[in-house]
Amino acid sequence: MSVKESFELAKKEYEKWGINVDEVFEQLKQVPISIHCWQGDDIAGFEVNKGELSGGIDVTGNYPGKATTPEELRSDLEKALSLIPGKHRVNLHAIYAETNGVAVDRDQLEPKHFENWVNWAKKNGLGLDFNPTLFSHEKAADGLTLAHPNQEIREFWINHCIASRKIGEYFGKELGTPALTNVWIPDGYKDVPSDRLTPRVRLKESLDKIFEEQIDEQYNIDAVESKLFGIGSESYVVGSHEFYLGYALKNNKLCLLDTGHFHPTETVSNKISSMLLYSDKLALHVSRPVRWDSDHVVTLDDELREIALEIVRNDALDKVMIGLDFFDASINRVAAWAIGTRNMIKSLLYAMLVPNNHLKQLQEEGNFTERLALIEEFKTYPFGAIWDYYCEQMGVPVKEAWLEEVKKYEQEVLSKR
């Protein structure tokens, strides 16, 4: 049976529930995923004076073929994007600046250092997002940046974040789609602090200075990202969820939720509906924590499906900015991008193929038996046939055929690095 024949049979199953699969495809095409560049080079970046990876982050594995130049990284991203249905975005960190061999410290970065990325994005029809890099630097060696007791160090990082917002604005103006510029910092303490408040006062003051200059959200959207703990900050992180949730609401900034930055039994999916009651928009970094914020490649697990369901059934596809954040050096890095991003899109398609309004009505009526029965039955509806046809229609490999293209790319390109 052909992909189209399987699709036509599956389509009829969903149509019985009033689900228009053709409309679902059109809706899904409009949802961009922000794909993180740092999966391709293990968060190394291209600084002239590179610092050791720090900030409670670790990348494990030594799979051959890591990108070591901007051209290699962009080539790898292009290959990954060719395997992923839809038009998407690429998310950059400040350490991916190109300075032509000149050492430029992070507080001195300018839009011109990202011109190659913008030209590449234009060529490929991509939007760009941005992140200041507040780790892997001598001025972050003790694990403190915007909350540092040393004013000079705080000012350095404040200036870096201001420069980053201007770079995000440049992206938005050049590409016609606003950049999401997201501030995450590693600040915290390994052991139980004797004063939790003072570092948070400093962080708030630093953020206030960073956001003093108003930038039109037509070009740049500001976000702040929390974390529960990291390596070296096991007992206390200055920028907690409660801190940033309050700051974002009070200062009209986006609160970004990273799925790996909470307790192992705490789910981000459960937070989305509550936060959308009080925020026009929110942002996600979708990862897969295994016992801790280990940033495993995203799989089509229960929590990913539940995140997608929360976004879709609450009509929030235009309110939730979806980005990815994982890094695995133990497998082919291009494959990691393809697996994780395809799974994110799969989860959204799955959510769109559920009779969400009917299930809501059953809950309101107190008909929990039928609600549970249908939720379970739809888990084995012929979703795969719909996904395969969507990939075929979007001109990307169907099922596991993409893996052969990755193997060929590894043989012809990655293995020769």
Side-chain angles (χ1 to χ4, degrees):
M1 189 179 296
S2 70
V3 169
K4 183 171 175 56
E5 289 171 332
S6 297
F7 166 75
E8 293 296 344
L9 290 173
K11 184 180 178 182
K12 290 177 182 177
E13 293 294 308
Y14 289 102
E15 285 176 341
K16 293 175 185 177
W17 292 94
I19 297 168
N20 188 318
V21 177
D22 295 320
E23 289 182 1
V24 163
F25 282 179
E26 289 305 311
Q27 187 180 31
L28 187 58
K29 288 176 187 177
Q30 305 305 315
V31 183
I33 308 300
S34 189
I35 301 169
H36 55 306
C37 77
W38 49 93
Q39 164 60 50
D41 76 331
D42 308 340
I43 329 179
F46 306 123
E47 289 181 306
V48 173
N49 298 322
K50 286 187 181 181
E52 290 293 321
L53 188 61
S54 69
I57 300 168
D58 193 14
V59 181
T60 56
N62 57 357
Y63 198 91
K66 178 175 75 170
T68 58
T69 69
E71 293 76 20
E72 288 178 351
L73 184 57
R74 285 190 282 266
S75 172
D76 293 353
L77 277 163
E78 285 182 23
K79 188 61 189 179
L81 287 162
S82 75
L83 309 173
I84 297 163
K87 276 292 181 183
H88 301 291
R89 307 177 65 83
V90 168
N91 196 8
L92 300 175
H93 250 284
I95 54 174
Y96 293 89
E98 295 174 64
T99 61
N100 295 318
V102 178
V104 178
D105 215 343
R106 295 182 196 172
D107 62 336
Q108 300 298 314
L109 287 173
E110 299 178 49
K112 66 181 182 181
H113 300 126
F114 293 88
E115 284 181 2
N116 290 341
W117 283 104
V118 167
N119 291 334
W120 174 78
K122 286 179 180 178
K123 176 185 172 185
N124 289 277
L126 302 166
L128 291 178
D129 295 313
F130 200 62
N131 306 261
T133 308
L134 291 95
F135 53 85
S136 302
H137 190 280
E138 61 182 7
K139 286 187 169 66
D142 59 1
L144 294 170
T145 60
L146 293 178
H148 204 288
N150 184 314
Q151 184 176 347
E152 287 186 12
I153 291 179
R154 286 201 309 279
E155 287 294 331
F156 173 85
W157 292 114
I158 288 167
N159 290 333
H160 172 52
C161 291
I162 291 171
S164 296
R165 295 182 71 220
K166 292 178 179 177
I167 291 165
E169 180 186 34
Y170 161 68
F171 290 170
K173 287 180 176 179
E174 289 290 321
L175 300 173
T177 175
L180 179 72
T181 299
N182 174 57
V183 176
W184 173 78
I185 65 171
D187 297 37
Y189 294 117
K190 184 174 182 65
D191 217 334
V192 180
S194 54
D195 178 5
R196 291 182 174 88
L197 177 61
T198 302
R200 287 180 172 146
V201 169
R202 288 195 291 261
L203 176 54
K204 180 182 179 300
E205 291 173 348
S206 294
L207 292 171
D208 289 344
K209 289 183 180 179
I210 290 166
F211 298 128
E212 272 181 3
E213 183 175 340
Q214 295 298 310
I215 295 178
D216 192 334
E217 288 197 354
Q218 180 182 351
Y219 306 120
N220 180 74
I221 300 171
D222 296 307
V224 287
E225 178 184 357
S226 66
K227 191 164 186 175
L228 175 67
F229 78 95
I231 298 172
S233 59
E234 291 85 356
S235 298
Y236 168 77
V237 167
V238 183
S240 66
H241 175 60
E242 294 78 10
F243 174 91
Y244 280 129
L245 179 60
Y247 190 90
L249 288 172
K250 187 172 182 180
N251 296 279
N252 195 32
K253 304 301 177 186
L254 263 65
C255 195
L256 187 146
L257 306 177
D258 186 304
T259 56
H261 288 190
F262 295 88
H263 287 284
T265 56
E266 194 175 4
T267 57
V268 163
S269 58
N270 193 37
K271 302 179 188 299
I272 292 172
S273 59
S274 294
M275 292 180 66
L276 286 175
L277 284 172
Y278 304 100
S279 301
D280 293 333
K281 288 188 176 184
L282 63 88
L284 297 180
H285 273 183
V286 182
S287 181
R288 178 167 56 103
V290 177
R291 295 190 170 84
W292 73 293
D293 179 34
S294 50
D295 293 294
H296 283 60
V297 176
V298 170
T299 58
L300 193 60
D301 59 13
D302 290 344
E303 172 62 357
L304 186 68
R305 286 199 300 267
E306 201 63 31
I307 287 170
L309 281 164
E310 281 294 292
I311 295 171
V312 170
R313 63 189 170 204
N314 293 311
D315 297 320
L317 284 166
D318 60 342
K319 299 175 183 175
V320 179
M321 304 178 76
I322 304 171
L324 305 178
D325 188 359
F326 52 79
F327 28 91
D328 189 345
S330 70
I331 65 173
N332 182 295
R333 295 168 182 83
V334 174
W337 271 320
I339 293 166
T341 314
R342 284 170 68 105
N343 278 331
M344 186 69 245
I345 301 166
K346 277 183 192 176
S347 72
L348 292 169
L349 178 60
Y350 174 88
M352 293 174 182
L353 294 172
V354 171
N356 292 300
N357 290 333
H358 182 64
L359 292 170
K360 288 181 182 181
Q361 183 180 343
L362 291 175
Q363 179 172 304
E364 290 299 294
E365 295 170 352
N367 190 344
F368 305 133
T369 303
E370 188 172 344
R371 180 189 65 175
L372 180 59
L374 289 178
I375 286 173
E376 292 305 302
E377 289 301 326
F378 266 83
K379 288 179 180 178
T380 51
Y381 257 56
F383 157 74
I386 305 292
W387 166 254
D388 291 344
Y389 188 69
Y390 180 69
C391 287
E392 184 173 89
Q393 290 297 102
M394 297 298 287
V396 301
V398 175
K399 294 182 177 170
E400 66 277 8
W402 64 266
L403 189 55
E404 292 306 312
E405 292 200 27
V406 171
K407 289 178 180 178
K408 183 180 178 183
Y409 186 73
E410 179 174 330
Q411 182 180 12
E412 294 177 354
V413 178
L414 303 180
S415 65
K416 296 176 182 178
R417 290 179 179 169

